């Protein structure tokens, strides 16, 4: 991570670290790292953002495939990196929840 020169290099390094922590079931630390990185790249997650995030998920869930595929591709590298870290957070959250499921 310290040797990474670009946002892309840092993103790959941090995602590898977060996924490793997740694979080791160290989900709390994986979540902390992902949230810290999002904050560092200027895309912090605040508790007050959760309502907006849930509304956005509902909008996407109601879309037809053709509508979703017609959306403009994201071209902001920082936003793309943020999406990758959000996916890592969702994965950690799913693993936490799945530990509580009886199956």
């Amino acid at each position: 991570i310290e040797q990474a020169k670009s946002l892309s290099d840092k993103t790959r390094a941090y995602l590898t670290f977060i996924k490793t922590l997740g694979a080791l079931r160290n989900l709390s630390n994986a979540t902390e790292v992902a949230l810290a990185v999002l904050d560092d790249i200027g895309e912090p997650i605040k508790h007050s953002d959760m309502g907006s995030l849930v509304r956005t998920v509902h909008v996407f869930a109601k879309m037809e495939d053709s509508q979703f595929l017609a959306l403009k591709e994201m071209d902001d590298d920082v936003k793309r990196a943020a999406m990758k870290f959000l996916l890592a957070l969702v994965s950690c959250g799913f693993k936490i929840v799945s530990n509580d499921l009886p199956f």
Side-chain angles (χ1 to χ4, degrees):
I1 295 171
E2 293 173 6
Q3 296 174 355
K5 294 182 172 108
S6 67
L7 176 61
S8 178
D9 291 342
K10 288 180 183 179
T11 298
R12 281 194 303 271
Y14 272 116
L15 284 172
T16 300
F17 183 50
I18 291 165
K19 289 175 184 179
T20 300
L21 289 170
L24 295 170
R25 308 300 272 179
N26 194 341
L27 304 174
S28 178
N29 283 347
T31 301
E32 282 182 35
V33 171
L35 290 172
V37 172
L38 283 167
D39 193 48
D40 287 347
I41 65 173
E43 297 291 338
I45 300 292
K46 300 178 196 121
H47 183 69
S48 61
D49 294 337
M50 290 303 150
S52 176
L53 184 61
V54 169
R55 284 189 298 278
T56 301
V57 168
H58 284 284
V59 168
F60 286 142
K62 292 178 185 176
M63 282 184 173
E64 298 289 329
D65 288 346
S66 60
Q67 293 172 304
F68 190 78
L69 293 171
L71 292 173
K72 180 181 177 270
E73 185 177 338
M74 189 179 297
D75 58 2
D76 182 324
D77 289 339
V78 173
K79 301 266 188 223
R80 278 189 198 176
M83 293 302 291
K84 290 176 183 178
F85 289 109
L86 286 171
L87 180 59
L89 277 172
V90 168
S91 177
C92 288
F94 181 76
K95 288 176 185 173
I96 290 168
V97 170
S98 66
N99 283 339
D100 296 331
L101 297 175
F103 49 88

